[in-house]
Amino acid sequence: MKNKKNKIKILIVDDEDDITLSFKRILEFHGFEVDTFNDSSLALSKFEVNYYDIALLDIKMPHLDGFDLYKKIKEIDNNIRICFLTASEAYYQQYREKDFHELSRDLFIQKPIELEELLKRIDYMLK
Amino acid sequence: MHYFLDKMEGIGTAEGLEESTKTILNVLNNSRNSLLICADQYWPSVAIGIDVFNKAMFDLEKRDIKCRFITEITKENLAFCKELLKIAEVHHLPGLKGNFAVNENEYIASATMKNLQLLSQVVYSNSKAIVEQHYFFFENLWDKSISAIEKIDEIEKGIVPEIIDVIKNPFEIRNIYFDVLKSSTFEIMLILTTSTVFMREENDGIMQSLIDSSNKNVKIRIITPTFTNSENEIDNLNQNKNIEVRHIESPFDAQINMLVVDRKYSLIVELKNDTKQKFTEAVGSAVYSTSKPKVVSFVTIFETLWKQTELYEKLKDADKLKEEYIRKLRLADKAKDEFVNIAAHELRTPTQSILTFANLLKYDINKNESIEAIHRNAKRLNVLIKNILDVTRIESDKLLLHQENFNLNDLLITVIKDYTRELKKSHSHKRHIKLHYALQKEIRGPDALIYADKERIVQVISNLLDNAIKFIEKDGLIMITLKISKGDGPNEYGYAEIIIKDTGSGISEEILPHLFTKFSTRSFQGTGLGLYISKNIIVSHGGSMSAENNKDGKGATFSFIIPLIKTDLIQNIFGVSV
């Protein structure tokens, strides 16, 4: 792992305060280091190259949506593993089919997700 | 005996009443086997009505002479013709001119004949050739004429004689056209196949004839294709109460003009040169008919086309309706899909938070924070459920109001205080939003009495305040004003108006036209049901709601009015800043 303490670093971007807060708390409890942002533009401006192992991005967000944020992050850091989080089925399907059809279905997390399943997905991404 | 009868074969003229009568009687008496007479409509009155001829005529019958007569049978000579039938086989030939008679050897003719009058001049001949010629003429005319019995029957029953006439003279066609139109007593059917016909008709005054007939209460129906160049003429005709013009979809292939009057007369005019503006130059030939089967056929054709125009109109309307329904269904379907997506999003987001915070509770991490978050998200789910139920109630007209008398000013103060407290608590570290409440100068707080469902009015005010807060990104001001307008409109006590003006991002131009319809949302959080529900609550209280972007370009203003139950206008300055 890249970080010195061997802790996996996760970036979470979601415009819902309670989502970022609850995920931060539970993932930290499970040994991850977590940074959260509710504003996707701010998340991008603060993004550090080669710092995070995983990014969990909400799709439906004001100003800069999850897909655009994905593209911009990938331009900066191609090694990061990114997973989408969404509560809106139609929205993600529409984009997935158009621009992200090469991405595995496993990289799309449909909210609500149980904790066990979320941890499994994170494991899968790290492999 | 007349002097020239003794002479050899020849031709002569008998002059004077006496000579002429004698000559005629001689020919009648000389007949041995047959006698043929062809004479105009006055002849029957002469043959039967004048004694001397009457006797000779009936003598023919007694002598068993085979007689055949051709004449024109009219109402006037009907009785005489019936008598003639006792003597001979009689035929009717309309418009018959000239008079002649032939027996085996002799021929007589007279140029003129008058009702019940003796003849004053008769041409006589015993020339075999002339006799034979007139036998020939007679047979020809006989074939062209119809039985007198049939004709008498028609006249007695008032039946119009059946005529089928091909007319080639344009002036004659025009005259018949006018005559037939003018003779109408109850109905005219007209099919016009080209627009020039229409224009031409007007030029030739036929349109005026139609208008004249309509003024005599003749019902006129016209079928014509739609022509852009004669729309005005058609509209003008349609203005007349007894004239109805209907259109059929495509122009006729045949260039004809069909006229049926009183279901008795038909005139089919073939157009030779449609570009000509004069009727007489444009028409080719015409078929005029009073033949019942023919006229009935044309009536059937007309009625079929008339019904078709009806169906065509209905079909056009039905098509429009169908398209409109499909459009509405598609919109409703799209709206439903949007709603399902939005509702799913709104259900999943707080559910996710509740699930995760509940997990945290299990691990005993930040217990209080989790409990509050669970509570917050459960409330959000509750609002969603309430909204969906409200929409269902509104759409099925089952929105029940628990109305009571209360003071809107007191209610506003309470709600605004609650909001101010909440704002300070939850967002003070991120946003600075100030609420300011002002009452209209002239009124006192206690005067804002309304009869309404308190909970629902709080719901509306909260919805408007929530929206205002949601669209203020960082710092902003929300001005709430209560105005009273007395005695205007249908409510005798006037209205209370609540105005909520914010300094947020305003309403997007895209949303503005359908702001109060379902699922109109620009927000990334929310169902787009709030304003729809709020407006319906206010409307069900007899009020109305409106919204606009602020003139200064910053923020939006929402307002609603609700009827007052009693108020007095008293000068007082009253304002609360909370």
Side-chain angles (χ1 to χ4, degrees):
Chain A
M1 286 293 123
K2 296 166 207 165
N3 64 77
K4 46 194 177 195
K5 289 180 188 170
N6 269 352
K7 264 194 176 181
I8 306 291
K9 294 199 169 187
I10 301 178
L11 167 72
I12 303 176
V13 187
D14 194 312
D15 62 332
E16 292 278 347
D17 299 8
D18 282 340
I19 298 281
T20 49
L21 180 64
S22 60
F23 278 4
K24 183 180 166 71
R25 294 271 189 267
I26 203 83
L27 292 175
E28 279 176 348
F29 177 76
H30 283 89
F32 298 98
E33 199 175 314
V34 181
D35 285 338
T36 64
F37 289 92
N38 296 118
D39 181 330
S40 49
S41 305
L42 188 67
L44 183 66
S45 68
K46 297 272 166 94
F47 186 79
E48 287 179 49
V49 182
N50 292 330
Y51 182 77
Y52 298 108
D53 299 288
I54 291 172
L56 300 178
L57 311 179
D58 182 20
I59 297 176
K60 198 179 167 193
M61 290 187 287
H63 311 307
L64 184 68
D65 73 21
F67 292 120
D68 289 335
L69 183 60
Y70 171 94
K71 285 178 196 160
K72 291 207 179 327
I73 288 176
K74 276 286 183 187
E75 278 171 21
I76 305 166
D77 184 348
N78 200 32
N79 294 320
I80 193 166
R81 285 133 203 227
I82 297 177
C83 180
F84 292 108
L85 277 171
T86 184
S88 167
E89 200 162 338
Y91 199 70
Y92 106 83
Q93 265 183 357
Q94 179 194 335
Y95 278 88
R96 191 179 167 268
E97 278 162 17
K98 262 202 319 203
D99 297 334
F100 295 88
H101 49 83
E102 80 282 357
L103 287 184
S104 159
R105 189 169 278 274
D106 289 332
L107 294 178
F108 287 86
I109 295 175
Q110 181 86 66
K111 288 185 242 179
I113 185 168
E114 296 278 358
L115 177 64
E116 298 75 22
E117 184 62 25
L118 178 68
L119 294 173
K120 262 195 227 168
R121 296 283 182 105
I122 291 170
D123 263 358
Y124 166 82
M125 289 168 77
L126 290 170
K127 273 171 195 167
Chain B
M1 273 289 152
H2 190 263
Y3 67 99
F4 62 78
L5 292 182
D6 298 329
K7 292 177 186 166
M8 53 186 298
E9 261 187 23
I11 300 173
T13 309
E15 299 284 350
L17 297 177
E18 198 180 332
E19 284 279 325
S20 299
T21 305
K22 272 184 189 167
T23 310
I24 294 165
L25 288 173
N26 266 329
V27 171
L28 296 179
N29 292 332
N30 289 343
S31 302
R32 289 292 162 261
N33 295 309
S34 74
L35 177 71
L36 310 177
I37 300 174
C38 177
D40 67 20
Q41 55 181 302
Y42 301 110
W43 171 73
S45 72
V46 177
I48 301 295
I50 296 173
D51 276 353
V52 60
F53 291 132
N54 181 295
K55 210 176 153 217
M57 295 301 285
F58 278 95
D59 192 49
L60 288 165
E61 200 253 333
K62 279 180 202 156
R63 288 189 286 134
D64 217 11
I65 310 293
K66 191 175 172 342
C67 300
R68 284 189 290 156
F69 305 150
I70 302 172
T71 186
E72 183 179 8
I73 303 169
T74 64
K75 269 185 204 166
E76 290 71 29
N77 67 15
L78 194 69
F80 299 122
C81 290
K82 278 186 176 175
E83 288 296 299
L84 286 175
L85 273 171
K86 293 175 183 167
I87 305 158
E89 200 180 338
V90 185
H91 266 195
H92 160 78
L93 188 65
L96 181 61
K97 300 263 187 299
N99 317 287
F100 69 88
V102 276
N103 61 23
E104 295 80 0
N105 304 307
E106 294 163 305
Y107 156 86
I108 43 166
S110 165
T112 54
M113 196 94 70
K114 283 179 184 165
N115 199 34
L116 291 166
Q117 281 186 28
L118 291 168
L119 279 67
S120 55
Q121 188 188 51
V122 172
V123 176
Y124 171 88
S125 175
N126 57 7
S127 151
K128 202 177 173 191
I130 286 180
V131 170
E132 275 174 9
Q133 270 176 25
H134 282 84
Y135 260 89
F136 177 78
F137 292 153
F138 185 91
E139 291 302 339
N140 265 299
L141 293 173
W142 185 260
D143 288 344
K144 283 186 181 166
S145 51
I146 60 161
S147 154
I149 298 166
E150 202 181 310
K151 178 65 192 173
I152 290 166
D153 195 44
E154 276 176 5
I155 293 173
E156 286 185 334
K157 289 180 180 163
I159 302 167
V160 178
E162 291 194 350
I163 302 165
I164 301 169
D165 239 354
V166 179
I167 311 152
K168 296 222 163 131
N169 180 340
F171 293 96
E172 204 180 327
I173 294 171
R174 191 174 178 278
N175 292 342
I176 289 181
Y177 206 112
F178 271 104
D179 288 348
V180 171
L181 274 181
K182 279 178 191 162
S183 73
S184 64
T185 57
F186 68 95
E187 190 179 30
I188 294 173
M189 295 165 173
L190 191 56
I191 296 177
L192 300 171
T193 57
T194 63
S195 69
T196 39
V197 170
F198 230 104
M199 311 296 280
R200 181 165 53 238
E201 304 292 6
E202 196 185 47
N203 290 343
D204 283 284
I206 290 179
M207 286 298 128
Q208 190 52 50
S209 292
L210 287 173
I211 293 167
D212 293 345
S213 298
S214 91
N215 292 337
K216 288 190 298 179
N217 271 336
V218 174
K219 193 184 163 204
I220 299 165
R221 289 183 289 165
I222 301 171
I223 298 175
T224 175
T226 311
F227 302 116
T228 46
N229 58 347
S230 54
E231 265 173 11
N232 288 343
E233 286 77 10
I234 293 170
D235 282 350
N236 286 342
L237 269 184
N238 254 336
Q239 302 290 318
N240 294 279
K241 66 176 168 119
N242 289 315
I243 302 182
E244 191 181 346
V245 183
R246 279 194 191 170
H247 298 291
I248 51 168
E249 192 177 10
S250 57
F252 292 85
D253 285 337
Q255 293 197 340
I256 56 140
N257 175 341
M258 192 179 107
L259 170 71
V260 180
V261 170
D262 293 345
R263 298 182 181 238
K264 277 185 190 167
Y265 314 100
S266 70
L267 186 67
I268 312 299
V269 182
E270 188 188 300
L271 299 164
K272 178 183 67 186
N273 189 344
D274 192 41
T275 58
K276 296 282 182 191
Q277 284 302 309
K278 293 293 279 179
F279 184 94
T280 44
E281 288 166 7
V283 295
S285 61
V287 179
Y288 169 70
S289 177
T290 60
S291 145
K292 203 172 175 186
K294 272 212 162 46
V295 176
V296 168
S297 305
F298 292 134
V299 168
T300 310
I301 291 169
F302 185 90
E303 293 290 6
T304 309
L305 281 173
W306 190 256
K307 279 200 185 101
Q308 199 181 309
T309 63
E310 224 166 76
L311 287 174
Y312 173 62
E313 290 300 321
K314 278 184 190 159
L315 213 62
K316 270 207 303 197
D317 290 349
D319 270 356
K320 273 186 211 156
L321 269 178
K322 194 178 84 188
E323 275 167 28
E324 184 60 19
Y325 281 135
I326 291 172
R327 198 185 64 81
K328 278 186 181 163
L329 275 176
R330 283 202 181 119
L331 276 179
D333 202 42
K334 200 175 158 226
K336 189 206 75 192
D337 284 351
E338 270 172 37
F339 174 66
V340 168
N341 283 328
I342 289 167
H345 182 269
E346 282 305 288
L347 276 168
R348 282 171 171 154
T349 304
T351 306
Q352 177 71 73
S353 299
I354 291 169
L355 265 177
T356 321
F357 279 115
N359 259 317
L360 285 165
L361 269 184
K362 265 202 284 186
Y363 301 127
D364 223 5
I365 313 160
N366 296 60
K367 218 173 165 179
N368 284 343
E369 185 188 68
S370 297
I371 291 169
E372 252 186 56
I374 289 170
H375 184 231
R376 190 165 54 240
N377 283 284
K379 275 208 302 199
R380 188 167 157 187
L381 281 178
N382 192 33
V383 168
L384 175 69
I385 292 161
K386 273 186 178 168
N387 279 351
I388 292 173
L389 286 175
D390 277 351
V391 169
T392 315
R393 286 190 190 109
I394 288 165
E395 299 203 329
S396 56
D397 283 328
K398 283 177 186 157
L399 188 73
L400 286 177
L401 298 177
H402 303 287
Q403 282 165 294
E404 57 183 312
N405 290 342
F406 64 90
N407 188 299
L408 195 53
N409 178 50
D410 296 347
L411 186 82
L412 272 170
I413 289 170
T414 313
V415 172
I416 291 161
K417 274 184 179 160
D418 285 351
Y419 264 83
T420 308
R421 200 165 40 243
E422 284 298 314
L423 276 174
K424 274 181 186 156
K425 211 164 70 183
S426 61
H427 293 297
S428 57
H429 59 292
K430 283 183 183 171
R431 302 194 289 179
H432 298 282
I433 298 170
K434 205 179 171 215
L435 296 189
H436 181 263
Y437 173 51
L439 249 159
Q440 190 188 356
K441 278 181 189 173
E442 303 82 19
I443 61 161
R444 290 192 312 183
D447 296 322
L449 271 180
I450 60 168
Y451 177 67
D453 185 327
K454 206 182 218 175
E455 213 174 293
R456 291 291 186 189
I457 299 300
V458 170
Q459 186 185 345
V460 173
I461 297 165
S462 302
N463 175 239
L464 296 181
L465 288 175
D466 287 342
N467 282 343
I469 291 164
K470 193 154 67 183
F471 289 103
I472 291 173
E473 280 199 20
K474 215 159 177 268
D475 302 336
L477 176 69
I478 301 168
M479 290 275 299
I480 303 116
T481 312
L482 174 62
K483 274 186 176 179
I484 304 290
S485 56
K486 203 188 170 195
D488 297 339
N491 184 48
E492 58 175 320
Y493 297 117
Y495 286 87
E497 185 180 13
I498 291 176
I499 304 156
I500 297 175
K501 184 179 178 182
D502 66 58
T503 56
S505 55
I507 310 155
S508 83
E509 291 301 319
E510 199 188 315
I511 296 281
L512 200 56
H514 43 94
L515 187 66
F516 294 105
T517 57
K518 276 180 295 179
F519 320 126
S520 287
T521 180
R522 193 173 59 90
S523 159
F524 282 81
Q525 296 161 8
T527 52
L529 294 175
L531 285 175
Y532 171 75
I533 295 166
S534 292
K535 181 167 185 158
N536 276 285
I537 289 171
I538 294 302
V539 168
S540 64
H541 278 87
S544 65
M545 185 180 268
S546 62
E548 58 178 6
N549 279 318
N550 295 334
K551 301 265 183 311
D552 61 8
K554 197 161 165 47
T557 300
F558 283 78
S559 62
F560 66 87
I561 59 168
I562 193 159
L564 285 170
I565 48 174
K566 192 172 187 288
T567 183
D568 296 300
L569 292 176
I570 298 162
Q571 284 285 333
N572 188 18
I573 297 170
F574 191 89
V576 184
S577 199
V578 279

